Amino acid sequence: MQKNLKDLTIRLKPLHIIGDEHVCVNHVTADSRQVEPGSLFVAVPGVSVDGHRYIDKAIAAGASVVALEKFPENLSEDVTYVQFADTHEALGQIASAWYGNPSDAIKLVGVTGTNGKTTIATLLYELFTSAGYMCGLLSTVCNKIGRKEVPATHTTPDAISLQALMRDMADGGCEYVFMEVSSHAADQKRIAGLQFDGGIFTNLTRDHLDYHGTVQDYLKAKKSFFDHLPATAFALTNKDDKNGPVMLQNTKARKKTYALKTVADFKASIQEHYVDSTDLLIDGNEVTIRLVGDFNVYNVLAVYGAACLLGMDRKEALLHLSLLKPVNGRFEALVSPDGNFTAVVDYAHTPDAIRNVLETIRPLVKGDGKIFCVVGAGGDRDRGKRPLMAKAACDMADRVILTSDNPRSEEPEAIIGEMKEGLSAQELKHVLCITDRKEAIRAACMSAGKNDFVLIAGKGHETYQEIKGVKHHFDDREVVRDFFDTIK
């Protein structure tokens, strides 16, 4: 495949071009190691590495075009240089043009926020699929084109991989695509070049401060997604979250809200909680959903609002809502063979998410039942949330076991030590530290008795544990089921 450089930059405004702006390009990359003769190399400043340092290497490998923000001292006569104010933005737009602007041909909805992104994107995908539409999904758990699964490595892929996937989705006949939009992706403009038909905001609590530095910068990254939505799109936000209205301040999109506690465009009230379902009143209609907890009611309400805004009849949307199943690893309840206790596997990996899940479990506990919480914190990530996670667990659970999550390059014992710093001497009396995650889960299950709940937080759907750069197979659900086999 070859494309004219002029066509690839038609939606952009280059600051300066040196060379032939009509030169043909046969490959686009931001990785100098992938350059081949005739490539367009985009020099992107990264978090740890600046692509401008590899311009000479890219030219030596055969790059005929270099997109950059600043010119090198020595220019090659055989190369066309295109200068942009922001090559992150340029990469997304160029990648989109390279793949024929695939998002123009589909209805694309992005979901952002701290918690709930995966659930909302997945439920929207399932709802529209059950309604007979061909859909695509980009999520933390997996990517899908129709029912075909494509492995997911990041919440939001890099710009070129993202546009390639969008092309496959468009060519595969997808009418709708639902995707998570991470704060990293928004900040790094990996979503540049995508034409969104809608954006959804869930909530915002502390997370990823190892990358963003401050909560305010984290918020700005999320908000930038809404700031760039076109007037033809909708912006649907959680009005009960204090940051919900902030997301709508500068957007050109149609502003819509959903809420449980305040007046909103899409409103629900909870009628009854059960261990495996919730009775709701939405728009005056009674509906039972097979999801549990207030946080999931918000997720379902966002799905309902988005479906309506995409043109689905409200009664039809409610019908499909009642058929939806929980997402893997999101409040996934496993009842022991003897019926004594319930283990809940959940992806909760922030203080707020842990608190939400435990608040959901508490009213489900019968009699003198107790809540055990097994929780760890990931290595090489926001260290400031570690003591807050332990505190949230101790505030809401009767017994807490601190353990390993994905320690990555860090020592698990050191991570657990930082979690313990958020606890008082009295709270530490109710805390057990077991570094081996499998043993921690087994210990909690062995301790659980009649009417007890065991929350296993942090990994959810994940089927690995990353230690010293190596991913080992590990699935919280498998550990629980193996334990159940011993008590049958």
Side-chain angles (χ1 to χ4, degrees):
M1 181 167 64
Q2 280 193 338
K3 295 213 172 183
N4 188 293
L5 176 60
K6 183 73 173 178
D7 294 333
L8 292 177
T9 59
I10 198 164
R11 292 184 176 181
L12 292 162
K13 293 181 180 180
L15 299 177
H16 195 51
I17 298 177
I18 299 176
D20 182 7
E21 66 175 329
H22 293 286
V23 63
C24 283
V25 172
N26 57 25
H27 181 235
V28 176
T29 183
D31 187 339
S32 62
R33 296 167 297 183
Q34 296 178 1
V35 170
E36 54 191 54
S39 287
L40 188 166
F41 173 67
V42 184
V44 177
V47 177
S48 56
V49 178
D50 188 346
H52 289 78
R53 292 171 51 189
Y54 297 92
I55 290 176
D56 289 343
K57 181 181 177 182
I59 292 173
S64 57
V65 180
V66 175
L68 39 66
E69 293 180 5
K70 51 184 183 293
F71 289 103
E73 291 184 8
N74 299 312
L75 302 181
S76 171
E77 294 181 357
D78 300 323
V79 174
T80 296
Y81 296 87
V82 188
Q83 185 184 31
F84 296 99
D86 185 345
T87 48
H88 288 97
E89 174 77 23
L91 177 62
Q93 295 286 358
I94 290 170
S96 178
W98 177 258
Y99 286 103
N101 300 310
S103 62
D104 290 4
I106 54 184
K107 293 282 188 181
L108 177 61
V109 176
V111 187
T112 195
T114 304
N115 303 309
K117 296 187 297 296
T118 300
T119 297
I120 291 172
T122 304
L123 293 181
L124 275 167
Y125 162 83
E126 293 292 350
L127 187 149
F128 275 82
T129 298
S130 68
Y133 297 97
M134 182 71 170
C135 300
L137 171 69
L138 286 90
S139 78
T140 305
V141 176
C142 69
N143 299 326
K144 290 185 177 183
I145 302 175
R147 287 299 182 185
K148 176 186 173 184
E149 291 195 12
V150 182
T153 55
H154 296 84
T155 302
T156 314
D158 67 86
I160 297 174
S161 299
L162 182 54
Q163 294 293 345
L165 191 53
M166 285 289 170
R167 180 74 270 158
D168 289 342
M169 289 179 171
D171 290 345
C174 290
E175 298 175 71
Y176 295 90
V177 173
F178 306 101
M179 69 175 288
E180 295 183 48
V181 177
S182 69
S183 57
H184 294 72
D187 185 62
Q188 296 166 11
K189 301 184 179 176
R190 281 183 249 156
I191 55 175
L194 292 177
Q195 298 300 308
F196 285 93
D197 293 274
I200 302 170
F201 172 74
T202 63
N203 49 65
L204 191 138
T205 58
R206 181 189 176 116
D207 201 12
H208 302 304
L209 297 197
D210 55 308
Y211 175 84
H212 295 287
T214 67
V215 173
Q216 191 62 29
D217 285 339
Y218 178 43
L219 183 148
K220 286 179 181 177
K222 297 287 189 187
K223 186 175 180 297
S224 67
F225 168 55
F226 291 91
D227 290 348
H228 289 90
L229 287 176
T232 52
F234 67 80
L236 177 63
T237 189
N238 179 357
K239 195 175 179 183
D240 286 343
D241 187 284
K242 66 179 181 180
N243 295 298
V246 176
M247 297 295 150
L248 303 180
Q249 286 176 353
N250 301 315
T251 188
K252 300 184 186 72
R254 290 175 289 139
K255 301 175 182 180
K256 299 292 180 178
T257 58
Y258 64 96
L260 290 178
K261 302 174 184 176
T262 54
V263 177
D265 297 297
F266 302 98
K267 184 76 183 292
S269 60
I270 299 170
Q271 304 299 297
E272 193 70 51
H273 284 295
Y274 303 100
V275 72
D276 59 354
S277 62
T278 309
D279 288 345
L280 301 177
L281 198 63
I282 301 179
D283 279 353
N285 297 285
E286 293 182 0
V287 60
T288 298
I289 59 171
R290 289 189 276 181
L291 290 92
V292 181
D294 290 7
F295 64 95
N296 266 326
V297 175
Y298 279 105
N299 293 336
V300 165
L301 197 51
V303 170
Y304 170 72
C308 294
L309 291 170
L310 287 169
M312 185 175 285
D313 177 78
R314 295 194 174 211
K315 290 290 179 67
E316 183 184 5
L318 289 172
L319 172 63
H320 290 294
L321 277 181
S322 68
L323 302 176
L324 295 175
K325 297 178 181 178
V327 178
N328 286 341
R330 268 62 176 181
F331 208 92
E332 193 166 342
L334 306 167
V335 181
S336 63
D338 56 12
N340 270 351
F341 74 93
T342 302
V344 175
V345 176
D346 194 88
Y347 190 55
H349 60 281
T350 67
D352 189 62
I354 290 168
R355 195 175 296 276
N356 284 341
V357 177
L358 288 169
E359 284 179 346
T360 296
I361 293 173
R362 179 56 67 186
L364 301 176
V365 178
K366 296 178 181 178
D368 58 355
K370 298 183 294 296
I371 300 176
F372 295 80
C373 179
V374 180
V375 63
D380 304 331
R381 298 293 187 269
D382 181 7
R383 293 173 62 180
K385 72 178 182 180
R386 294 173 184 175
L388 302 178
M389 290 171 66
K391 177 63 175 171
C394 283
D395 283 349
M396 304 299 297
D398 300 293
R399 295 287 187 273
V400 174
I401 299 179
L402 300 181
T403 189
S404 180
D405 191 297
N406 289 317
R408 301 185 176 89
S409 70
E410 293 190 63
E411 293 297 330
E413 294 82 0
I415 297 174
I416 292 172
E418 291 188 6
M419 295 184 78
K420 289 168 65 178
E421 290 175 6
L423 306 178
S424 66
Q426 184 63 31
E427 287 170 327
L428 286 170
K429 292 179 181 179
H430 301 282
V431 172
L432 188 62
C433 298
I434 303 177
T435 303
D436 186 306
R437 189 174 180 89
K438 181 177 181 180
E439 291 306 313
I441 294 171
R442 287 180 60 83
C445 290
M446 283 189 286
S447 301
K450 185 73 173 174
N451 296 328
D452 290 348
F453 277 77
V454 176
L455 171 63
I456 304 160
K459 292 178 62 60
H461 66 282
E462 291 179 351
T463 56
Y464 66 86
Q465 190 171 31
E466 187 176 340
I467 304 170
K468 301 296 183 184
V470 179
K471 288 186 176 181
H472 305 269
H473 178 76
F474 193 96
D475 188 326
D476 288 348
R477 296 160 296 184
E478 285 181 9
V479 177
V480 173
R481 292 188 183 107
D482 287 345
F483 177 81
F484 285 172
D485 288 340
T486 68
I487 59 174
K488 282 182 178 179

